[in-house]
């Protein structure tokens, strides 16, 4: 449809949606007009006047528009693979006009159906409206939004990257190569190096060392070598090593009470004076409080732009720094300020602006440069570092307030593989949903790693309206929600993320660029899903301290089962709802939120650890659309009457894979499999929420 600006009823719809050509249509139209004229001559005048022998309506006086009902096709917000057919009817004789993805209304495929032959991967919207025989046009239209999913068993290369590699064979592209789990990635890397040495400009080719959390490697390859590797070597995917950058919103601290986080802060006991003669309290309003020692929370790894551990908010709890960013020269502990703010939300200990877990330790894994961007390979290197050192520093939680800049299936994105490796090793991974939402009525395509990964906890941003009650809370309008390209509903939960106040280094970019958001010396007010995610990371750290036997799957289950559903037009926009730490702590046996997925987690063929067998999952989802039902029916989500199952009814446990057998069609050829994901420019910057 690119480049088509005019609307031709025959050629445009025929070429794009597989209807008959313009000539046939115009011929048919002429015949219909002629037939109508003939029939008009044969209809008695009484019938035309509406005496019961015709359609029962007086055309001259009929002002009631018709109503259309879509009778078959994908269910609203479902995920479907392959061609789509909609059928529809009206409550009276009528003709129909159809629209796909906001295009002007035009001819449908047939008188009562519409065919989408090859929808690209991502979100789509179909609309149809009727015009009755009196010329009345329907008010509005009948609509359905659905998601086209991706499936491939061969090498995946994003369409734009493949096209550029073919068009510019001598140009160098920075990519990440993933190989199958059963194959040693270093062997593929060595073979790629050997091929690169044969090139006349071999000095420009670079193949890095293999990752730990991902079975693959980063490389800078000429276009011809990308095509060669994709077609010759056993490779799962070749994806651009795009940049990841910060994405916070510019626009007091009631939110810790709203979600029950303050109940787990350390506090001294309080006694009430007693009259020695009567034994009664001198002040009837005094309420004695028992002292509380906060749980010894594990370390939270903050994968971000750095943490300024010299600030009083952290004391001596920033126990280490590892700098892995490669995009620029750094001058300070956190040049940008984003990472320090994130760390404050998770574990700040200021008397005025504390975070969710003010006793938790922090480890700074710096992957974002001074300009607020990072390469995907640096973020993966951060996950590698955590995987290798988690036991040494007692890292049980990792926060990623960022997302990739290129949409993808979680089956192929290396960043998804990296966070899955952490999850399978016992690290609870918390990520931001993103700030690219439209409004509370319009879902977004949740196709960006790592927030599109079904295992991790993806967090949306709630607006508490600065009150301590949930009843008036809502989702921030820019907080992204919807389905991933693979059919999973995101986010799982929401947490306060609007008008948050946190610490800043004195010379940070955020303070310099937003002086009007400084609320006190060293503190700034910001909004974003970046700052909702670390709130949940802090809660997760506290829950692990209180329940050391809980797995990441159970931490996720406890948060979802005890969340408060918010009163919204689309309840799925906040996932299971807004988190409640106090209620989550009360659970005795939290459900495994990833139970249905866990059966596809298998031992890695190379090295130690586990991996997700995506091919087995695709086969299961293809054969049984209700494959995920056991997550919500095979265990209790009602422990101590705290659970809400509204999320389950609208998410990946219901109809996401049901229509037309989710994976019934295989997207064919190697490297050309994705006429999909609306391929943003492969080198575009990506967002760190």
């Amino acid at each position: 449809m690119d480049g088509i600006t005019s609307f031709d009823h025959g050629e445009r719809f025929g070429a794009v949606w597989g209807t008959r050509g313009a000539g046939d249509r115009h011929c048919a139209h002429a015949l219909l007009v002629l037939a109508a004229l003939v029939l008009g001559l044969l209809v008695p005048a009484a019938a035309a006047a509406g005496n019961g022998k015709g359609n029962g309506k007086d055309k001259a006086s009929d002002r009631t528009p018709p109503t259309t009902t879509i009778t078959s096709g994908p269910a609203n917000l479902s995920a479907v693979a392959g061609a789509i057919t909609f059928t529809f009817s009206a409550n009276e004789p009528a003709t129909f006009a159809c629209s796909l993805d906001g295009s002007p209304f035009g001819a449908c495929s047939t008188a009562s159906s519409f065919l989408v032959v090859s929808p690209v991967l991502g979100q789509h919207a179909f609309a149809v409206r009727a015009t009755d025989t009196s010329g009345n046009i329907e008010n509005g239209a009948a609509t359905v939004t659905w998601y086209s999913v991706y499936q491939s068993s061969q090498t995946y290369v994003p369409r734009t990257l493949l096209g550029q590699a073919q068009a510019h064979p001598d140009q160098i592209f920075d990519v990440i190569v993933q190989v199958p789990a059963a194959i040693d990635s270093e062997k593929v890397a060595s073979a790629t190096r050997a091929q690169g040495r044969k090139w006349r400009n071999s000095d420009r080719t670079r193949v890095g060392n293999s990752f730990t959390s991902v079975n693959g490697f980063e490389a800078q390859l000429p276009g011809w070598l990308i095509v060669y590797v994709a077609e010759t070597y056993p490779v799962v995917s070749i994806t651009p090593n795009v940049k990841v950058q910060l994405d916070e919103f510019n626009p007091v601290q009631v939110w810790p009470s709203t979600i029950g986080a303050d109940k787990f802060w350390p506090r001294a006991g309080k006694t009430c004076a007693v009259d020695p003669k009567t034994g009664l309290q001198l002040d009837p309003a005094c309420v004695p409080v028992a002292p509380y020692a906060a749980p010894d929370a594990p370390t939270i790894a903050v994968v971000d732009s750095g943490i300024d551990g010299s600030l009083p908010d952290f004391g001596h709890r920033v126990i280490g720094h590892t700098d892995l960013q490669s995009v620029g020269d750094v001058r300070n502990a956190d040049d940008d300020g984003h990472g320090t703010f994130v760390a404050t939300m998770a574990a700040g200990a200021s008397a005025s602006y504390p975070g969710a877990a003010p006793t938790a330790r922090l480890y700074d894994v710096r992957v974002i440069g001074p300009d607020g961007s990072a390469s995907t390979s640096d973020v993966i290197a951060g996950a590698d570092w955590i995987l290798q050192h988690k036991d040494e520093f007692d890292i049980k939680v990792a926060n990623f307030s960022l997302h990739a800049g290129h949409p993808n299936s979680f089956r192929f994105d290396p960043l998804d593989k990296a966070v899955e490796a952490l999850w399978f090793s016992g690290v609870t991974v918390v990520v931001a949903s993103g700030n690219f939402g439209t409004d509370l009525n319009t879902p977004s395509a949740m196709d960006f790693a790592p927030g599109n990964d079904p295992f991790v906890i993806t967090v949306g941003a709630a607006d508490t309206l600065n009150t301590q009650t949930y009843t008036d809370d809502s989702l921030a309008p820019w907080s992204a929600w919807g389905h991933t390209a693979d059919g999973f509903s995101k986010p799982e939960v929401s947490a306060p993320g609007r008008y948050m106040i946190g610490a800043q280094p004195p010379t940070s970019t955020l303070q310099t660029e937003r002086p009007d958001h400084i609320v006190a010396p060293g503190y700034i007010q910001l909004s974003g899903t970046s700052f909702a995610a670390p709130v949940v990371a802090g809660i997760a750290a506290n829950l692990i301290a209180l329940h050391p036997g809980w797995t990441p799957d159970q931490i996720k289950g406890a948060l979802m089962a005890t969340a408060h559903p918010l009163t919204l037009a689309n309840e799925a926009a906040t996932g299971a709802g807004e988190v409640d730490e106090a209620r989550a702590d009360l659970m005795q046996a939290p459900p495994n939120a990833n139970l249905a997925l866990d059966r596809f987690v298998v031992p890695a063929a190379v090295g130690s650890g586990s991996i997700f067998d995506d091919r087995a999952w695709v086969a299961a989802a293809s054969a049984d659309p209700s494959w995920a039902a056991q997550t919500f029916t095979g265990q209790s989500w009602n422990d101590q009457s705290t659970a809400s199952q509204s999320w389950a009814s609208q998410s990946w446990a219901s109809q996401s894979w049901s229509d037309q057998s989710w994976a019934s069609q295989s997207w064919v050829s190697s490297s050309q499999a994705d006429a999909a994901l609306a391929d943003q420019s492969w080198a575009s910057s990506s967002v760190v929420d």
Side-chain angles (χ1 to χ4, degrees):
M1 294 171 61
D2 293 340
I4 299 176
T5 55
S6 63
F7 181 82
D8 181 281
H9 290 283
E11 293 179 356
R12 177 175 181 181
F13 285 85
V16 179
W17 294 322
T19 59
R20 56 182 182 267
D24 292 343
R25 186 185 311 280
H26 294 159
C27 247
H29 181 68
L31 290 173
L32 287 172
V33 171
L34 179 59
L37 290 172
V38 172
L39 288 174
L41 294 175
L42 298 177
V43 174
N51 65 355
K53 297 179 182 179
N55 63 10
K57 297 177 70 174
D58 185 346
K59 292 184 179 181
S61 61
D62 176 19
R63 296 292 184 270
T64 304
T67 301
T68 301
T69 300
I70 297 176
T71 54
S72 69
N76 198 44
L77 300 183
S78 61
V80 186
I84 301 296
T85 300
F86 291 97
T87 62
F88 34 83
S89 62
N91 61 337
E92 60 177 297
T95 58
F96 299 95
C98 296
S99 168
L100 180 66
D101 295 337
S103 65
F105 280 92
C108 305
S109 302
T110 71
S112 59
S113 68
F114 184 80
L115 174 65
V116 187
V117 178
S118 300
V120 298
L121 180 61
Q123 178 179 310
H124 296 282
F126 167 67
V128 56
R129 68 185 182 195
T131 301
D132 66 17
T133 55
S134 298
N136 298 308
I137 300 175
E138 182 173 4
N139 295 325
T143 62
V144 167
T145 297
W146 86 97
Y147 301 83
S148 182
V149 296
Y150 177 85
Q151 177 186 335
S152 174
S153 60
Q154 302 181 40
T155 300
Y156 168 79
V157 182
R159 182 181 58 187
T160 306
L161 172 58
L162 177 63
Q164 292 202 21
Q166 292 171 329
H168 306 285
D170 290 343
Q171 180 178 327
I172 298 295
F173 298 87
D174 193 359
V175 297
I176 295 175
V177 180
Q178 291 186 79
V179 302
I183 295 175
D184 186 352
S185 63
E186 190 55 43
K187 292 182 178 179
V188 178
S190 297
T192 303
R193 290 190 193 97
Q195 283 297 325
R197 293 192 192 103
K198 299 177 181 179
W199 187 37
R200 62 182 182 279
N201 294 322
S202 58
D203 59 313
R204 296 171 56 199
T205 300
R206 186 186 68 81
V207 178
N209 295 325
S210 296
F211 296 116
T212 301
S213 56
V214 175
N215 195 32
F217 53 90
E218 184 263 342
Q220 294 174 357
L221 306 176
W224 70 267
L225 189 51
I226 289 175
V227 177
Y228 180 87
V229 170
E231 294 180 347
T232 308
Y233 297 156
V235 172
V236 172
S237 66
I238 302 176
T239 53
N241 183 23
V242 294
K243 284 191 174 183
V244 180
Q245 66 191 25
L246 298 178
D247 177 28
E248 70 290 318
F249 276 76
N250 313 320
V252 140
Q253 295 296 124
V254 174
W255 67 262
S257 298
T258 307
I259 61 172
D262 58 340
K263 294 179 174 61
F264 300 90
W265 294 344
R267 58 177 177 269
K270 175 184 176 182
T271 59
C272 300
V274 177
D275 186 328
K277 295 182 179 180
T278 63
L280 301 175
Q281 288 185 187
L282 293 175
D283 181 3
C286 178
V287 178
V289 177
Y292 180 76
D296 183 18
T299 304
I300 303 169
V302 177
V303 184
D304 216 286
S305 64
I307 302 175
D308 188 344
S310 68
L311 298 179
D313 301 74
F314 306 117
H316 300 289
R317 292 178 298 112
V318 181
I319 62 175
H321 304 266
T322 296
D323 189 353
L324 299 170
Q325 68 83 29
S326 61
V327 298
D329 296 328
V330 297
R331 300 182 304 276
N332 303 298
D334 181 10
D335 293 303
D336 184 85
H338 187 270
T340 299
F341 195 100
V342 166
T344 305
M345 297 299 100
S350 162
S352 300
Y353 308 111
T359 61
R361 296 178 293 277
L362 295 162
Y363 197 100
D364 170 21
V365 182
R366 186 172 189 168
V367 300
I368 298 169
D371 65 346
S373 69
S375 68
T376 302
S377 57
D378 288 348
V379 182
I380 294 174
D384 278 0
W385 189 94
I386 297 171
L387 196 62
Q388 295 163 359
H389 298 277
K390 62 184 179 64
D391 296 333
E392 178 184 355
F393 295 100
D394 192 31
I395 297 173
K396 298 289 179 61
V397 181
N399 186 89
F400 292 77
S401 288
L402 50 83
H403 69 70
H406 192 282
N408 215 338
S409 162
F410 87 101
R411 296 176 56 205
F412 305 114
D413 200 293
L415 186 50
D416 285 312
K417 301 301 181 186
V419 296
E420 285 174 11
L422 291 176
W423 189 273
F424 300 152
S425 72
V427 177
T428 300
V429 179
V430 184
V431 306
S433 69
N435 302 331
F436 51 87
T438 302
D439 55 50
L440 300 183
N441 297 311
T442 308
S444 300
M446 303 295 287
D447 297 332
F448 300 93
N452 64 342
D453 194 280
F455 285 95
V456 305
I457 304 172
T458 303
V459 184
D463 184 352
T464 67
L465 299 181
N466 201 32
T467 67
Q468 295 186 18
T469 177
Y470 286 88
T471 56
D472 61 354
D473 291 3
S474 182
L475 188 72
W478 32 259
S479 183
W481 65 278
H483 280 76
T484 71
D486 301 288
F488 296 92
S489 182
K490 288 287 183 173
E492 281 85 7
V493 293
S494 298
R498 199 173 195 190
Y499 306 127
M500 310 292 278
I501 297 176
Q504 279 294 282
T507 59
S508 73
T509 301
L510 287 177
Q511 277 212 130
T512 303
E513 293 181 348
R514 298 166 175 81
D516 55 323
H517 293 294
I518 297 173
V519 298
Y523 293 93
I524 192 171
Q525 184 182 72
L526 298 170
S527 297
T529 56
S530 272
F531 315 129
V535 168
V536 173
I539 292 175
N542 276 343
L543 290 177
I544 292 169
L546 294 165
H547 307 276
W550 286 6
T551 66
D553 291 332
Q554 289 176 302
I555 295 292
K556 180 177 177 179
L559 291 171
M560 292 174 63
T562 58
H564 293 271
L566 302 184
T567 305
L568 301 173
N570 290 286
E571 289 187 0
T574 59
E578 193 171 0
V579 293
D580 186 330
E581 182 176 355
R583 295 211 311 176
D585 173 53
L586 294 176
M587 295 204 80
Q588 299 300 312
N592 176 353
N594 294 329
L595 180 63
L597 284 168
D598 281 351
R599 60 186 164 127
F600 305 107
V601 178
V602 298
V606 176
S608 59
S610 301
I611 61 169
F612 179 68
D613 187 346
D614 64 289
R615 293 191 181 184
W617 169 71
V618 168
S622 303
D624 181 11
S626 62
W627 67 273
Q630 62 172 302
T631 293
F632 300 96
T633 59
Q635 55 189 336
S636 173
W637 283 79
N638 295 291
D639 190 2
Q640 298 191 9
S641 301
T642 59
S644 168
Q645 300 190 55
S646 61
W647 181 85
S649 66
Q650 305 178 54
S651 68
W652 54 274
S654 55
Q655 61 188 4
S656 294
W657 290 270
S658 60
D659 288 314
Q660 298 185 11
S661 179
W662 172 78
S664 60
Q665 300 191 25
S666 174
W667 297 73
V668 278
S669 71
S670 76
S671 303
Q672 296 180 351
D674 86 332
L677 287 166
D679 275 314
Q680 299 177 5
S681 171
W682 78 275
S684 65
S685 294
S686 58
V687 187
V688 176
D689 304 298

